[in-house]
Amino acid sequence: MEEIEFDLVNDLPFCKLSKLFPDVIFYRWCNSAVDYLEFYGKDEDLSKIEAHLPDVEKELNTHVLYRTYGDGNLSVMLSCRCNTSNSTIRKAESKNLMWKAPVYYQGGHEKLSLISPMSEHFKSIFNEFERIGEAKVIKKAEIKPELVRDTYAISMSDLLSDLTTKQLKYLVNAYHMGYFDTPKGTQISEMARQFGISYSTMQEHLEKAVNRILKGLEPYLTIELHIRGDRDK
């Protein structure tokens, strides 16, 4: 089994976005339901990217689900509209390759790591990448099959697909407001007042959000527990 890292230059939406804002670094996670992007750079550049988001929405026929901006970081969650015509990771998946999150973008370049047990799959996707732009292999390494588990241990689909938009919104804000800090930076009553909802409604949204995330994490927590149990015997 091999992992190959590609350096790509093309005119697909996210690589093109990196060309437009070459001084900004950003990372991309995607689970076919949402695209999550984290941008890092100067405030003036991040402000320009934020202003450019409507163009991204139009090009991808998508919409922004959530955004937060501050301290040199812009985080954006989009409804995923990726397909084999506009996304390198969908192209890779169509060739039976696994991709390793996050995808890295800077200066109009896209760094994408792919995993496969068969070299033929890499040859096929390399030819596909060359058809849409420039493609270079910058790293190639053999990996043990058990390491793939660590790479894909936490799936955004498992963690987020059952969350409603309101649950996600209140959970993210609760985190940033310090609700999960020790000692707590805020209380449920304060958050409820801020969003104009009742105490019980806010509490219910947070409890359901945490429970659903734990449900997604449970298989991986169990695996880790067994690994540590065997190791600590």
Side-chain angles (χ1 to χ4, degrees):
M1 184 169 285
E2 291 182 325
E3 178 182 347
I4 293 183
E5 184 177 348
F6 290 92
D7 181 356
L8 307 174
V9 178
N10 53 65
D11 287 322
L12 299 188
F14 293 110
C15 203
K16 185 162 63 176
L17 182 64
S18 182
K19 290 179 183 179
L20 289 173
F21 303 96
D23 295 328
V24 173
I25 294 171
F26 69 96
Y27 300 87
R28 175 187 173 207
W29 290 260
C30 178
N31 70 346
S32 298
V34 296
D35 269 301
Y36 177 67
L37 309 173
E38 285 189 354
F39 299 90
Y40 295 90
K42 296 180 180 178
D43 287 341
E44 55 265 33
D45 291 327
L46 296 180
S47 295
K48 291 177 182 178
I49 289 179
E50 189 171 28
H52 186 72
L53 288 178
D55 293 325
V56 176
E57 290 178 302
K58 183 177 180 180
E59 182 173 13
L60 287 171
N61 190 29
T62 184
H63 61 278
V64 172
L65 299 171
Y66 173 82
R67 76 179 76 178
T68 181
Y69 174 43
D71 297 326
N73 167 243
L74 171 65
S75 298
V76 179
M77 188 175 289
L78 300 163
S79 179
C80 179
R81 295 293 185 268
C82 296
N83 55 56
T84 54
S85 67
N86 64 21
S87 171
T88 53
I89 62 177
R90 293 289 97 86
K91 289 180 183 293
E93 290 171 344
S94 73
K95 303 293 184 182
N96 299 313
L97 289 151
M98 295 182 291
W99 64 281
K100 185 177 178 181
V103 185
Y104 172 88
Y105 297 86
Q106 184 180 22
H109 288 253
E110 174 181 358
K111 302 292 179 62
L112 174 64
S113 292
L114 301 176
I115 296 172
S116 176
M118 300 177 65
S119 59
E120 290 79 7
H121 293 160
F122 286 121
K123 294 176 183 177
S124 178
I125 195 62
F126 183 81
N127 292 335
E128 180 72 17
F129 288 157
E130 283 200 314
R131 277 194 288 270
I132 62 171
E134 301 174 21
K136 296 179 182 178
V137 173
I138 56 177
K139 188 171 79 172
K140 181 178 180 181
E142 291 189 10
I143 62 172
K144 296 180 180 179
E146 57 267 27
L147 294 181
V148 176
R149 180 197 64 215
D150 293 336
T151 300
Y152 292 90
I154 299 178
S155 161
M156 284 186 66
S157 179
D158 289 338
L159 292 179
L160 302 177
S161 61
D162 288 336
L163 289 176
T164 68
T165 302
K166 283 186 177 180
Q167 289 165 359
L168 184 61
K169 173 183 174 182
Y170 296 144
L171 182 65
V172 170
N173 278 277
Y175 175 81
H176 287 295
M177 293 171 69
Y179 176 71
F180 298 103
D181 293 348
T182 304
K184 291 183 181 297
T186 188
Q187 300 295 327
I188 290 179
S189 57
E190 295 173 14
M191 291 185 290
R193 280 197 302 273
Q194 178 174 328
F195 289 102
I197 60 177
S198 68
Y199 179 99
S200 59
T201 299
M202 175 61 76
Q203 184 179 45
E204 181 181 2
H205 279 306
L206 289 179
E207 287 180 352
K208 285 184 176 179
V210 171
N211 286 338
R212 286 174 179 174
I213 288 178
L214 284 175
K215 182 179 178 182
L217 281 172
E218 185 278 328
Y220 312 112
L221 295 173
T222 300
I223 289 172
E224 182 65 20
L225 180 62
H226 284 301
I227 291 172
R228 293 190 183 192
D230 292 339
R231 187 176 60 210
D232 295 340
K233 284 181 180 179

